[in-house]
Amino acid sequence: SDSASRTLTVGLPDDVTIANDLTVTGDLVVQGDTTTLSTTEIIAEDKNIVLGNTSTPTDVTADGGGITLRGASNYTITWVNSTDSWTFNQNIDVTTGGLSIGGTQVLTSARQLKNTAITGTGNTIDNIVLDGGVF
């Protein structure tokens, strides 16, 4: 038969270590509970990273998932199911463009509130400078 259609299966009794580079020209399938990459940079052509990919995903299985950057502390973006929100454990620095909610800009990069209403009772506003305008 044609050598391109043959499958080679190698059974080894122990772990295998490859001292030099390994090039795989086809798909690489890794089966196991843990895959560890030790690299300085991960580059992917895909535009989307899927986390928590289970056969029956729910908000409960997503709870606590996210991204952790290790530094002097852990810097995280985490999905919190009980609050139904993404939670950042550090400040978010908006350098250009501003901040939008539901497609409407509410804060500019110059720290100016836009399209924002303060309603209800018992609200406290501290450290606010009102600059110009008609009141």
Side-chain angles (χ1 to χ4, degrees):
S1 84
D2 182 80
S3 64
S5 64
R6 294 183 188 163
T7 300
L8 171 63
T9 302
V10 178
L12 301 170
D14 296 310
D15 294 341
V16 176
T17 300
I18 298 173
N20 295 312
D21 293 345
L22 170 66
T23 301
V24 177
T25 58
D27 293 343
L28 174 64
V29 177
V30 178
Q31 295 177 342
D33 293 334
T34 303
T35 302
T36 302
L37 301 173
S38 180
T39 184
T40 57
E41 184 176 42
I42 296 174
I43 299 173
E45 291 178 9
D46 291 333
K47 298 185 287 183
N48 191 43
I49 297 171
V50 176
L51 304 173
N53 189 27
T54 67
S55 59
T56 54
T58 67
D59 287 349
V60 172
T61 62
D63 189 38
I67 300 171
T68 300
L69 173 64
R70 301 251 189 233
S73 296
N74 287 343
Y75 308 113
T76 63
I77 303 171
T78 307
W79 174 256
V80 179
N81 188 45
S82 63
T83 60
D84 200 29
S85 60
W86 285 100
T87 302
F88 293 71
N89 75 343
Q90 299 295 311
N91 291 325
I92 298 172
D93 186 6
V94 178
T95 59
T96 60
L99 176 68
S100 294
I101 297 175
T104 301
Q105 188 178 47
V106 295
L107 183 66
T108 70
S109 60
R111 299 184 334 264
Q112 296 170 332
L113 288 175
K114 294 178 74 173
N115 307 308
T116 303
I118 299 172
T119 61
T121 58
N123 293 322
T124 301
I125 302 174
D126 278 338
N127 201 21
I128 298 294
V129 175
L130 300 176
D131 185 17
V134 177
F135 302 98

